[in-house]
């Protein structure tokens, strides 16, 4: 192999032509390096600069080599944006100390007004005898990176400000169930109380198991789940939160989620309002029903009075006839007692407390109460099989069924009399610990575009409707750990299914798959 005693083809005693060639080669090399390179003389004047240095600093070669480093003082910035004095330039330190310097990030305002950011390094340049002849400054353009960092910082600041101003509280919980960050603190709590605490530390004991289940569903199954829960501790004990558990998935193929984001919305006021509206609606339905019930009582009452009058009159011979009249009166009074009994079940203030109730008895009461409104020319058939007790508030559940029966009757007013039918049947879903009640009618059905809206408050298609019945029913059932479903064929009829829980822990319902 040829020995390389003549690097770059330069003779030990170069000629002028050789020197020119060498200078132009060095220039080509300098211009080819990806960073800026500047040679500064000991007096601080700029002697040489490569193309990248000119690009970063925004000067032409002739302009830059006219300048001293001190002339940049007014146009340079530290990383934090404050002015950067010349004394902090690595080149100035090299010239002052003769020692190589640590890199420093400096922003340089270019003549065109834009700012370049670069990491500057400087090393001493020495002559053959070792005396300092100046400094070589090298610098790498990081303007794009700075811009991206700034953008990220701004967007983070924007999200942080948005999160801290939202009415909802956003809590990030790690895989170990510990709180990583929180957008806003509950009154009276410090960050030390919250960060690192268990995710359900501020959840009422009754809801801790549900919380844990929802958290695991979000973390492991990566599903978005929602849970309405009660707060705990001095600040939140009387508050209710609708909490959405959102899995935060980092890597696409990762197993489970990285974090779970909890978005907690204070729904205490909404619950209070709905409870108030439900109560008013309940009273209104009693008002509506009482007119029909009065009519219903009138028949047995007339019957009772007629029999008593007869028993007391001279026309009634003592003995068997009199006894029969009194027994008939007794039977009529018994029917009236049943009606009043049913009305009292509905009139009982709808407390939040849940008890085990026999859903069939509630259906029968609701049918008797809604009967006067519903039964006119409607064929009502029931198929109430043996089902386990369900957790419910009896009066609220009764109101739910009355509303469904009355709606069914309203949907059939246009049908010929012989075709108006309501069928009620019970069924069970043992695996999910649920009892279902199907109420089918042969009414007009619900248009597909209305199906998604019928449970919204105030949605009605009726002249005199309030649009509250189904929304209150849905809310009431969900509070009992149940739910309501609808299946309808326009022109043929509708089936509402009420699902009620046979266990105390309500199942959480998945609301949507996570965003891809
Ligand atoms: P309202 O009865 O006051 O309208 P609801 O909330 O009880 O309020 O019902 C909302 C709407 O749902 C009704 O206006 C009607 O359009 C529709 N709907 C409810 N039940 C039935 C049914 N069985 N058949 C057809 N439409 C129904």
């Amino acid at each position: 192999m040829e020995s390389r005693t003549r690097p770059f083809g330069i003779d030990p005693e170069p000629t002028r032509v050789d020197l020119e060639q060498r200078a132009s080669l060095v220039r080509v090399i300098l211009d080819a390096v990806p960073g800026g390179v500047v040679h500064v003389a000991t007096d601080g004047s700029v002697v040489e600069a490569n193309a990248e240095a000119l690009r970063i600093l925004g000067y032409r070669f002739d302009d830059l080599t006219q300048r001293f480093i001190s002339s940049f003082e007014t146009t340079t910035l530290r990383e934090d944006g404050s002015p950067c004095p010349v004394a902090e330039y690595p080149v100035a330190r090299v010239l002052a100390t003769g020692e190589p310097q640590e890199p420093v990030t400096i922003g340089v305002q270019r003549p065109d007004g834009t700012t370049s950011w670069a990491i500057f390094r400087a090393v001493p340049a020495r002559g053959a005898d070792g005396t300092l002849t100046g400094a070589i400054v090298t610098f790498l353009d990081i303007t794009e990176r700075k811009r991206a960092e700034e953008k990220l910082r701004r967007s983070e600041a924007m999200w942080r400000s948005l999160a801290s101003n939202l009415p909802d509280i956003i809590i990030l919980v790690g895989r170990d169930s510990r709180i990583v960050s929180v957008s806003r603190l509950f009154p009276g709590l410090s960050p030390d109380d919250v960060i690192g605490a268990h995710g359900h530390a501020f959840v009422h004991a009754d809801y801790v198991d549900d919380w844990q289940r929802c958290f695991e569903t979000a973390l492991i199954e990566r599903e978005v789940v929602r849970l309405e829960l009660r707060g705990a501790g001095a600040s939140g004990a009387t508050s209710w939160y609708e909490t959405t558990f959102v899995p935060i998935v980092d890597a696409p193929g990762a197993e489970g989620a990285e974090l779970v984001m909890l978005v907690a919305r204070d729904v205490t006021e909404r619950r209070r309002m709905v409870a108030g509206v439900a109560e008013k609606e309940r009273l209104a339905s009693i008002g509506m029903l009482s007119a029909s019930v009065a009519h219903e009582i009138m028949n047995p009452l007339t019957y009772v009075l007629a029999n008593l009058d007869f028993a007391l009159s001279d026309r009634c011979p003592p003995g068997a006839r009199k006894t029969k009249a009194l027994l008939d009166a007794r039977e009529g009074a018994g029917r009236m007692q049943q009606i009043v009994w049913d009305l009292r079940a509905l009139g009982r203030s709808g407390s939040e407390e849940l008890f085990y109730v026999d859903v069939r008895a509630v259906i029968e009461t609701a049918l008797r109460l809604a009967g006067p409104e519903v039964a006119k020319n409607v064929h009502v058939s029931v198929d109430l099989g043996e089902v386990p007790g369900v957790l419910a508030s009896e009066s609220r559940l009764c109101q739910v069924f009355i509303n469904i029966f009355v709606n069914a009757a309203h949907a059939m007013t246009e049908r010929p009399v012989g075709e108006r039918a309501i069928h009620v049947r019970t069924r069970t879903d043992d695996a999910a610990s649920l009892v279902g009640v199907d109420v089918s009618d042969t009414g007009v059905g619900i248009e597909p575009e209305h199906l998604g809206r019928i449970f919204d408050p105030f949605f009605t298609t009726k002249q005199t409707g309030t649009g509250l019945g189904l929304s209150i029913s849905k809310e009431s059932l969900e509070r009992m750990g149940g739910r309501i479903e609808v299946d309808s064929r326009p022109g043929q009829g509708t089936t509402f299914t009420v699902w009620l829980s046979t266990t105390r822990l309500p199942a959480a319902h998945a609301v949507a798959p996570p965003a891809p």
Side-chain angles (χ1 to χ4, degrees):
M1 208 167 123
E2 191 194 341
S3 78
R4 310 198 70 185
T5 50
R6 302 194 314 165
F8 304 112
I10 299 166
D11 279 328
E13 281 185 31
T15 63
R16 194 179 58 80
V17 175
D18 285 340
L19 282 175
E20 274 172 13
Q21 273 183 355
R22 183 179 174 182
S24 94
L25 186 61
V26 168
R27 172 136 295 285
V28 169
I29 293 170
L30 279 181
D31 285 347
V33 293
V37 182
V38 167
H39 179 198
V40 177
T42 44
D43 63 356
S45 63
V46 179
V47 185
E48 264 292 353
N50 72 347
E52 177 66 356
L54 300 176
R55 189 192 67 76
I56 295 173
L57 301 175
Y59 285 91
R60 288 185 310 146
F61 183 82
D62 291 346
D63 295 335
L64 190 64
T65 49
Q66 300 269 318
R67 298 178 75 102
F68 286 83
I69 53 168
S70 55
S71 70
F72 288 96
E73 175 136 30
T74 54
T75 58
T76 49
L77 303 168
R78 293 189 182 119
E79 263 206 290
D80 63 6
S82 61
C84 181
V86 173
E88 289 182 19
Y89 299 177
V91 56
R93 290 201 180 134
V94 167
L95 295 180
T97 64
E99 297 296 327
Q101 296 295 316
E102 287 294 303
V104 177
T105 300
I106 297 176
V108 183
Q109 278 168 6
R110 294 149 47 109
D112 66 5
T114 59
T115 301
S116 288
W117 284 92
I119 301 176
F120 288 82
R121 288 185 170 79
V123 290
R126 297 189 184 278
D129 60 354
T131 50
L132 191 70
T133 57
I136 302 295
V137 187
T138 58
F139 44 109
L140 271 182
D141 187 0
I142 56 161
T143 313
E144 273 314 308
R145 196 180 88 196
K146 280 292 258 187
R147 224 172 259 156
E149 277 173 11
E150 176 64 8
K151 223 165 150 185
L152 190 67
R153 200 189 56 72
R154 277 209 206 129
S155 117
E156 264 181 25
M158 190 191 83
W159 282 111
R160 196 156 297 141
S161 129
L162 192 73
S164 59
N165 286 300
L166 273 181
D168 299 348
I169 300 177
I170 298 173
I171 304 160
L172 286 180
V173 181
R175 291 181 70 90
D176 60 354
S177 311
R178 304 270 155 195
I179 298 177
V180 176
S181 84
V182 63
S183 66
R184 196 154 46 80
L185 290 168
F186 295 105
L189 289 178
S190 76
D192 284 350
D193 300 326
V194 179
I195 307 299
H198 199 285
H200 60 50
F202 309 100
V203 172
H204 191 279
D206 288 355
Y207 291 86
V208 165
D209 289 347
D210 284 352
W211 186 97
Q212 193 64 37
R213 212 176 31 240
C214 288
F215 177 72
E216 280 165 18
T217 307
L219 189 74
I220 299 163
E221 316 290 335
R222 301 209 244 162
E223 269 179 46
V224 178
V225 276
R226 195 168 288 159
L227 174 70
E228 196 159 308
L229 52 78
R230 226 176 122 183
S235 45
T238 50
S239 300
W240 286 86
Y241 296 92
E242 183 187 86
T243 309
T244 310
F245 295 69
V246 185
I248 307 282
V249 182
D250 215 17
E255 214 167 273
E258 263 310 290
L259 293 165
V260 175
M261 178 169 76
L262 271 57
V263 184
R265 172 165 298 180
D266 190 333
V267 289
T268 319
E269 205 42 45
R270 189 183 82 189
R271 280 180 74 97
R272 227 174 263 147
M273 260 172 60
V274 169
V277 174
E279 191 62 14
K280 286 202 187 85
E281 178 82 351
R282 191 175 60 80
L283 294 174
S285 65
I286 295 174
M288 179 196 83
L289 289 168
S290 56
S292 339
V293 169
H295 173 75
E296 199 62 1
I297 288 183
M298 212 51 197
N299 284 339
L301 190 58
T302 313
Y303 182 69
V304 169
L305 288 176
N307 276 297
L308 287 178
D309 284 346
F310 175 66
L312 292 171
S313 73
D314 301 338
R315 287 178 289 122
C316 179
R321 289 284 307 276
K322 197 176 211 127
T323 308
K324 167 87 172 56
L326 287 173
L327 282 175
D328 285 351
R330 171 80 186 66
E331 186 210 322
R335 262 167 43 213
M336 290 193 300
Q337 187 189 39
Q338 179 68 55
I339 293 168
V340 172
W341 191 256
D342 287 346
L343 256 193
R344 276 185 21 181
L346 183 67
R348 222 170 281 146
S349 173
S351 93
E352 289 275 325
E353 264 197 274
L354 306 181
F355 297 98
Y356 276 103
V357 301
D358 178 359
V359 72
R360 294 172 305 169
V362 180
I363 294 169
E364 274 158 7
T365 303
L367 272 175
R368 273 197 300 272
L369 282 170
E373 180 88 1
V374 169
K376 272 174 257 153
N377 305 318
V378 174
H379 175 73
V380 179
S381 58
V382 289
D383 174 9
L384 304 181
E386 191 77 29
V387 286
V390 296
L391 268 176
S393 146
E394 198 170 348
S395 59
R396 288 188 190 275
L397 187 57
C398 187
Q399 200 192 342
V400 167
F401 284 123
I402 290 175
N403 185 60
I404 295 176
F405 296 147
V406 170
N407 274 346
H410 287 169
M412 293 188 290
T413 47
E414 303 291 305
R415 278 256 184 274
V417 169
E419 294 175 14
R420 298 179 196 171
I422 294 178
H423 182 66
V424 189
R425 114 186 144 107
T426 50
R427 56 188 164 123
T428 51
D429 177 348
D430 292 333
S433 308
L434 294 173
V435 166
V437 181
D438 295 322
V439 181
S440 310
D441 64 54
T442 53
V444 286
I446 303 170
E447 294 302 326
E449 65 266 31
H450 290 163
L451 261 187
R453 301 174 58 201
I454 56 169
F455 296 106
D456 292 349
F458 308 111
F459 176 81
T460 181
T461 54
K462 299 174 194 168
Q463 289 284 329
T464 54
T466 60
L468 286 173
L470 284 178
S471 68
I472 290 171
S473 298
K474 179 171 179 283
E475 181 90 24
S476 297
L477 287 168
E478 283 174 1
R479 281 202 217 169
M480 297 177 206
R483 62 178 197 270
I484 183 167
E485 289 169 357
V486 62
D487 181 25
S488 186
R489 278 179 216 154
Q492 293 183 38
T494 303
T495 299
F496 279 95
T497 304
V498 169
W499 289 104
L500 293 153
S501 178
T502 59
T503 60
R504 205 154 262 285
L505 286 179
H509 308 299
V511 292

